[in-house]
PDB file of all heavy atoms in Angstrom:
ATOM      1  N   GLY I   1       0.781  -1.195  -0.026  1.00 89.00           N
ATOM      2  CA  GLY I   1       0.022  -0.018  -0.010  1.00 89.00           C
ATOM      3  C   GLY I   1       0.869   1.233  -0.032  1.00 89.00           C
ATOM      4  O   GLY I   1       0.608   2.185  -0.742  1.00 89.00           O
ATOM      5  N   ILE I   2       1.852   1.228   0.857  1.00 87.00           N
ATOM      6  CA  ILE I   2       2.668   2.516   0.861  1.00 87.00           C
ATOM      7  C   ILE I   2       3.543   2.603  -0.295  1.00 87.00           C
ATOM      8  O   ILE I   2       3.829   3.766  -0.778  1.00 87.00           O
ATOM      9  CB  ILE I   2       3.559   2.496   2.236  1.00 87.00           C
ATOM     10  CG1 ILE I   2       4.005   3.930   2.506  1.00 87.00           C
ATOM     11  CG2 ILE I   2       4.713   1.615   2.071  1.00 87.00           C
ATOM     12  CD1 ILE I   2       2.934   4.873   2.832  1.00 87.00           C
ATOM     13  N   ALA I   3       3.918   1.504  -0.886  1.00 84.00           N
ATOM     14  CA  ALA I   3       4.729   1.585  -2.208  1.00 84.00           C
ATOM     15  C   ALA I   3       3.876   2.124  -3.311  1.00 84.00           C
ATOM     16  O   ALA I   3       4.305   2.932  -4.113  1.00 84.00           O
ATOM     17  CB  ALA I   3       5.238   0.208  -2.562  1.00 84.00           C
ATOM     18  N   ALA I   4       2.690   1.737  -3.314  1.00 83.00           N
ATOM     19  CA  ALA I   4       1.733   2.265  -4.425  1.00 83.00           C
ATOM     20  C   ALA I   4       1.470   3.820  -4.050  1.00 83.00           C
ATOM     21  O   ALA I   4       1.364   4.623  -5.001  1.00 83.00           O
ATOM     22  CB  ALA I   4       0.404   1.515  -4.401  1.00 83.00           C
ATOM     23  N   ALA I   5       1.328   4.128  -2.803  1.00 82.00           N
ATOM     24  CA  ALA I   5       1.027   5.494  -2.412  1.00 82.00           C
ATOM     25  C   ALA I   5       2.092   6.421  -2.841  1.00 82.00           C
ATOM     26  O   ALA I   5       2.009   7.622  -3.246  1.00 82.00           O
ATOM     27  CB  ALA I   5       0.782   5.636  -0.976  1.00 82.00           C
ATOM     28  N   ALA I   6       3.311   5.907  -2.861  1.00 76.00           N
ATOM     29  CA  ALA I   6       4.487   6.761  -3.310  1.00 76.00           C
ATOM     30  C   ALA I   6       4.372   7.200  -4.651  1.00 76.00           C
ATOM     31  O   ALA I   6       4.979   8.213  -5.101  1.00 76.00           O
ATOM     32  CB  ALA I   6       5.783   5.964  -3.041  1.00 76.00           C
ATOM     33  N   ASP I   7       3.697   6.477  -5.497  1.00 69.00           N
ATOM     34  CA  ASP I   7       3.582   6.795  -6.934  1.00 69.00           C
ATOM     35  C   ASP I   7       2.325   7.724  -7.268  1.00 69.00           C
ATOM     36  O   ASP I   7       2.141   8.155  -8.422  1.00 69.00           O
ATOM     37  CB  ASP I   7       3.519   5.560  -7.831  1.00 69.00           C
ATOM     38  CG  ASP I   7       4.864   4.965  -7.836  1.00 69.00           C
ATOM     39  OD1 ASP I   7       5.935   5.587  -7.694  1.00 69.00           O
ATOM     40  OD2 ASP I   7       5.024   3.703  -7.968  1.00 69.00           O
ATOM     41  N   VAL I   8       1.498   7.811  -6.239  1.00 61.00           N
ATOM     42  CA  VAL I   8       0.219   8.541  -6.600  1.00 61.00           C
ATOM     43  C   VAL I   8       0.406  10.066  -6.997  1.00 61.00           C
ATOM     44  O   VAL I   8      -0.171  10.447  -7.911  1.00 61.00           O
ATOM     45  CB  VAL I   8      -0.680   8.530  -5.259  1.00 61.00           C
ATOM     46  CG1 VAL I   8      -1.870   9.508  -5.404  1.00 61.00           C
ATOM     47  CG2 VAL I   8      -1.158   7.154  -4.989  1.00 61.00           C
ATOM     48  N   PRO I   9       1.403  10.725  -6.466  1.00 54.00           N
ATOM     49  CA  PRO I   9       1.608  12.121  -6.915  1.00 54.00           C
ATOM     50  C   PRO I   9       2.036  12.137  -8.336  1.00 54.00           C
ATOM     51  O   PRO I   9       1.832  13.234  -9.017  1.00 54.00           O
ATOM     52  CB  PRO I   9       2.843  12.583  -6.009  1.00 54.00           C
ATOM     53  CG  PRO I   9       2.730  11.803  -4.815  1.00 54.00           C
ATOM     54  CD  PRO I   9       2.295  10.462  -5.183  1.00 54.00           C
ATOM     55  N   GLU I  10       2.542  11.115  -8.961  1.00 52.00           N
ATOM     56  CA  GLU I  10       2.862  11.150 -10.310  1.00 52.00           C
ATOM     57  C   GLU I  10       1.669  11.051 -11.234  1.00 52.00           C
ATOM     58  O   GLU I  10       1.728  11.073 -12.487  1.00 52.00           O
ATOM     59  CB  GLU I  10       3.795   9.944 -10.673  1.00 52.00           C
ATOM     60  CG  GLU I  10       5.216   9.977  -9.902  1.00 52.00           C
ATOM     61  CD  GLU I  10       6.055  11.037 -10.438  1.00 52.00           C
ATOM     62  OE1 GLU I  10       5.848  11.559 -11.565  1.00 52.00           O
ATOM     63  OE2 GLU I  10       6.906  11.454  -9.708  1.00 52.00           O
ATOM     64  N   GLY I  11       0.453  11.023 -10.657  1.00 49.00           N
ATOM     65  CA  GLY I  11      -0.746  10.972 -11.345  1.00 49.00           C
ATOM     66  C   GLY I  11      -1.193   9.568 -11.922  1.00 49.00           C
ATOM     67  O   GLY I  11      -2.033   9.541 -12.812  1.00 49.00           O
ATOM     68  N   ARG I  12      -0.658   8.591 -11.345  1.00 54.00           N
ATOM     69  CA  ARG I  12      -0.930   7.225 -11.735  1.00 54.00           C
ATOM     70  C   ARG I  12      -2.157   6.740 -10.897  1.00 54.00           C
ATOM     71  O   ARG I  12      -2.129   6.287  -9.861  1.00 54.00           O
ATOM     72  CB  ARG I  12       0.167   6.327 -11.467  1.00 54.00           C
ATOM     73  CG  ARG I  12       1.463   6.748 -12.199  1.00 54.00           C
ATOM     74  CD  ARG I  12       2.714   5.934 -11.853  1.00 54.00           C
ATOM     75  NE  ARG I  12       3.868   6.444 -12.398  1.00 54.00           N
ATOM     76  CZ  ARG I  12       5.112   6.042 -12.116  1.00 54.00           C
ATOM     77  NH1 ARG I  12       5.242   5.204 -11.094  1.00 54.00           N
ATOM     78  NH2 ARG I  12       6.108   6.550 -12.718  1.00 54.00           N
ATOM     79  N   ARG I  13      -3.360   6.732 -11.526  1.00 56.00           N
ATOM     80  CA  ARG I  13      -4.520   6.391 -10.904  1.00 56.00           C
ATOM     81  C   ARG I  13      -4.556   4.893 -10.421  1.00 56.00           C
ATOM     82  O   ARG I  13      -5.107   4.530  -9.302  1.00 56.00           O
ATOM     83  CB  ARG I  13      -5.749   6.595 -11.833  1.00 56.00           C
ATOM     84  CG  ARG I  13      -7.083   6.345 -11.153  1.00 56.00           C
ATOM     85  CD  ARG I  13      -8.283   6.747 -12.042  1.00 56.00           C
ATOM     86  NE  ARG I  13      -9.485   6.573 -11.342  1.00 56.00           N
ATOM     87  CZ  ARG I  13     -10.033   7.486 -10.508  1.00 56.00           C
ATOM     88  NH1 ARG I  13      -9.365   8.582 -10.280  1.00 56.00           N
ATOM     89  NH2 ARG I  13     -11.203   7.380  -9.882  1.00 56.00           N
ATOM     90  N   ILE I  14      -3.920   4.080 -11.219  1.00 62.00           N
ATOM     91  CA  ILE I  14      -3.823   2.611 -10.825  1.00 62.00           C
ATOM     92  C   ILE I  14      -3.122   2.433  -9.529  1.00 62.00           C
ATOM     93  O   ILE I  14      -3.461   1.623  -8.688  1.00 62.00           O
ATOM     94  CB  ILE I  14      -3.155   1.794 -12.034  1.00 62.00           C
ATOM     95  CG1 ILE I  14      -3.268   0.329 -11.706  1.00 62.00           C
ATOM     96  CG2 ILE I  14      -1.713   2.252 -12.216  1.00 62.00           C
ATOM     97  CD1 ILE I  14      -4.689  -0.152 -11.719  1.00 62.00           C
ATOM     98  N   GLU I  15      -2.110   3.230  -9.297  1.00 68.00           N
ATOM     99  CA  GLU I  15      -1.390   3.180  -7.923  1.00 68.00           C
ATOM    100  C   GLU I  15      -2.287   3.605  -6.780  1.00 68.00           C
ATOM    101  O   GLU I  15      -2.231   3.021  -5.706  1.00 68.00           O
ATOM    102  CB  GLU I  15      -0.116   4.030  -7.961  1.00 68.00           C
ATOM    103  CG  GLU I  15       1.099   3.298  -8.576  1.00 68.00           C
ATOM    104  CD  GLU I  15       1.023   3.226 -10.043  1.00 68.00           C
ATOM    105  OE1 GLU I  15       0.147   3.961 -10.678  1.00 68.00           O
ATOM    106  OE2 GLU I  15       1.769   2.570 -10.745  1.00 68.00           O
ATOM    107  N   ALA I  16      -3.099   4.654  -7.128  1.00 77.00           N
ATOM    108  CA  ALA I  16      -4.100   5.059  -6.040  1.00 77.00           C
ATOM    109  C   ALA I  16      -5.023   3.944  -5.626  1.00 77.00           C
ATOM    110  O   ALA I  16      -5.357   3.747  -4.559  1.00 77.00           O
ATOM    111  CB  ALA I  16      -4.825   6.318  -6.494  1.00 77.00           C
ATOM    112  N   GLU I  17      -5.479   3.230  -6.728  1.00 83.00           N
ATOM    113  CA  GLU I  17      -6.519   2.189  -6.508  1.00 83.00           C
ATOM    114  C   GLU I  17      -5.813   1.078  -5.681  1.00 83.00           C
ATOM    115  O   GLU I  17      -6.376   0.458  -4.852  1.00 83.00           O
ATOM    116  CB  GLU I  17      -6.954   1.631  -7.849  1.00 83.00           C
ATOM    117  CG  GLU I  17      -7.858   2.704  -8.514  1.00 83.00           C
ATOM    118  CD  GLU I  17      -8.271   2.249  -9.968  1.00 83.00           C
ATOM    119  OE1 GLU I  17      -7.749   1.190 -10.358  1.00 83.00           O
ATOM    120  OE2 GLU I  17      -9.034   2.973 -10.553  1.00 83.00           O
ATOM    121  N   ASP I  18      -4.506   0.744  -6.064  1.00 85.00           N
ATOM    122  CA  ASP I  18      -3.771  -0.303  -5.366  1.00 85.00           C
ATOM    123  C   ASP I  18      -3.605   0.079  -3.834  1.00 85.00           C
ATOM    124  O   ASP I  18      -3.730  -0.860  -2.985  1.00 85.00           O
ATOM    125  CB  ASP I  18      -2.448  -0.578  -6.091  1.00 85.00           C
ATOM    126  CG  ASP I  18      -2.492  -1.203  -7.340  1.00 85.00           C
ATOM    127  OD1 ASP I  18      -3.667  -1.719  -7.628  1.00 85.00           O
ATOM    128  OD2 ASP I  18      -1.537  -1.173  -8.137  1.00 85.00           O
ATOM    129  N   ALA I  19      -3.247   1.335  -3.651  1.00 85.00           N
ATOM    130  CA  ALA I  19      -3.024   1.750  -2.295  1.00 85.00           C
ATOM    131  C   ALA I  19      -4.324   1.655  -1.451  1.00 85.00           C
ATOM    132  O   ALA I  19      -4.339   1.201  -0.208  1.00 85.00           O
ATOM    133  CB  ALA I  19      -2.536   3.161  -2.205  1.00 85.00           C
ATOM    134  N   LEU I  20      -5.476   2.080  -1.974  1.00 89.00           N
ATOM    135  CA  LEU I  20      -6.738   1.940  -1.340  1.00 89.00           C
ATOM    136  C   LEU I  20      -7.205   0.542  -1.131  1.00 89.00           C
ATOM    137  O   LEU I  20      -7.787   0.181  -0.056  1.00 89.00           O
ATOM    138  CB  LEU I  20      -7.756   2.791  -2.028  1.00 89.00           C
ATOM    139  CG  LEU I  20      -7.572   4.303  -2.173  1.00 89.00           C
ATOM    140  CD1 LEU I  20      -8.627   4.960  -3.087  1.00 89.00           C
ATOM    141  CD2 LEU I  20      -7.605   4.992  -0.733  1.00 89.00           C
ATOM    142  N   ALA I  21      -6.814  -0.316  -2.056  1.00 89.00           N
ATOM    143  CA  ALA I  21      -7.155  -1.730  -1.962  1.00 89.00           C
ATOM    144  C   ALA I  21      -6.306  -2.285  -0.769  1.00 89.00           C
ATOM    145  O   ALA I  21      -6.847  -3.123  -0.001  1.00 89.00           O
ATOM    146  CB  ALA I  21      -6.907  -2.548  -3.169  1.00 89.00           C
ATOM    147  N   ALA I  22      -5.110  -1.862  -0.555  1.00 89.00           N
ATOM    148  CA  ALA I  22      -4.333  -2.255   0.461  1.00 89.00           C
ATOM    149  C   ALA I  22      -4.889  -1.869   1.894  1.00 89.00           C
ATOM    150  O   ALA I  22      -4.816  -2.601   2.846  1.00 89.00           O
ATOM    151  CB  ALA I  22      -2.852  -1.725   0.320  1.00 89.00           C
ATOM    152  N   VAL I  23      -5.493  -0.633   1.844  1.00 91.00           N
ATOM    153  CA  VAL I  23      -6.127  -0.223   3.120  1.00 91.00           C
ATOM    154  C   VAL I  23      -7.188  -1.085   3.469  1.00 91.00           C
ATOM    155  O   VAL I  23      -7.377  -1.474   4.713  1.00 91.00           O
ATOM    156  CB  VAL I  23      -6.621   1.274   2.944  1.00 91.00           C
ATOM    157  CG1 VAL I  23      -7.474   1.607   4.063  1.00 91.00           C
ATOM    158  CG2 VAL I  23      -5.534   2.151   2.746  1.00 91.00           C
ATOM    159  N   VAL I  24      -7.970  -1.550   2.489  1.00 93.00           N
ATOM    160  CA  VAL I  24      -9.159  -2.574   2.823  1.00 93.00           C
ATOM    161  C   VAL I  24      -8.516  -3.860   3.397  1.00 93.00           C
ATOM    162  O   VAL I  24      -9.126  -4.353   4.332  1.00 93.00           O
ATOM    163  CB  VAL I  24      -9.929  -2.847   1.483  1.00 93.00           C
ATOM    164  CG1 VAL I  24     -10.998  -3.908   1.694  1.00 93.00           C
ATOM    165  CG2 VAL I  24     -10.604  -1.501   1.069  1.00 93.00           C
ATOM    166  N   ARG I  25      -7.476  -4.338   2.818  1.00 92.00           N
ATOM    167  CA  ARG I  25      -6.827  -5.565   3.325  1.00 92.00           C
ATOM    168  C   ARG I  25      -6.384  -5.448   4.698  1.00 92.00           C
ATOM    169  O   ARG I  25      -6.462  -6.323   5.486  1.00 92.00           O
ATOM    170  CB  ARG I  25      -5.712  -5.992   2.439  1.00 92.00           C
ATOM    171  CG  ARG I  25      -6.136  -6.390   0.982  1.00 92.00           C
ATOM    172  CD  ARG I  25      -5.115  -7.329   0.253  1.00 92.00           C
ATOM    173  NE  ARG I  25      -3.794  -6.722   0.163  1.00 92.00           N
ATOM    174  CZ  ARG I  25      -3.432  -5.857  -0.775  1.00 92.00           C
ATOM    175  NH1 ARG I  25      -4.236  -5.492  -1.697  1.00 92.00           N
ATOM    176  NH2 ARG I  25      -2.208  -5.414  -0.789  1.00 92.00           N
ATOM    177  N   LEU I  26      -5.832  -4.256   4.994  1.00 93.00           N
ATOM    178  CA  LEU I  26      -5.316  -3.936   6.397  1.00 93.00           C
ATOM    179  C   LEU I  26      -6.511  -4.024   7.401  1.00 93.00           C
ATOM    180  O   LEU I  26      -6.371  -4.576   8.452  1.00 93.00           O
ATOM    181  CB  LEU I  26      -4.714  -2.625   6.517  1.00 93.00           C
ATOM    182  CG  LEU I  26      -3.267  -2.627   5.911  1.00 93.00           C
ATOM    183  CD1 LEU I  26      -2.789  -1.236   5.753  1.00 93.00           C
ATOM    184  CD2 LEU I  26      -2.274  -3.427   6.773  1.00 93.00           C
ATOM    185  N   THR I  27      -7.703  -3.377   7.004  1.00 93.00           N
ATOM    186  CA  THR I  27      -8.837  -3.419   7.869  1.00 93.00           C
ATOM    187  C   THR I  27      -9.410  -4.913   8.018  1.00 93.00           C
ATOM    188  O   THR I  27      -9.636  -5.394   9.173  1.00 93.00           O
ATOM    189  CB  THR I  27      -9.955  -2.548   7.188  1.00 93.00           C
ATOM    190  OG1 THR I  27      -9.469  -1.227   7.166  1.00 93.00           O
ATOM    191  CG2 THR I  27     -11.183  -2.586   8.123  1.00 93.00           C
TER     192      THR I  27
END
């Protein structure tokens, strides 16, 4: 999740989706 979040500022929507999916898995 944090690895995907690191790429979110670059405008990669897929990374944002991966990071949010990781949040769900953590919960």
Side-chain angles (χ1 to χ4, degrees):
I2 200 66
D7 288 331
V8 171
E10 298 290 337
R12 301 171 185 168
R13 186 173 185 84
I14 187 68
E15 276 74 13
E17 294 174 354
D18 289 346
L20 294 175
V23 171
V24 173
R25 294 201 304 276
L26 285 166
T27 302

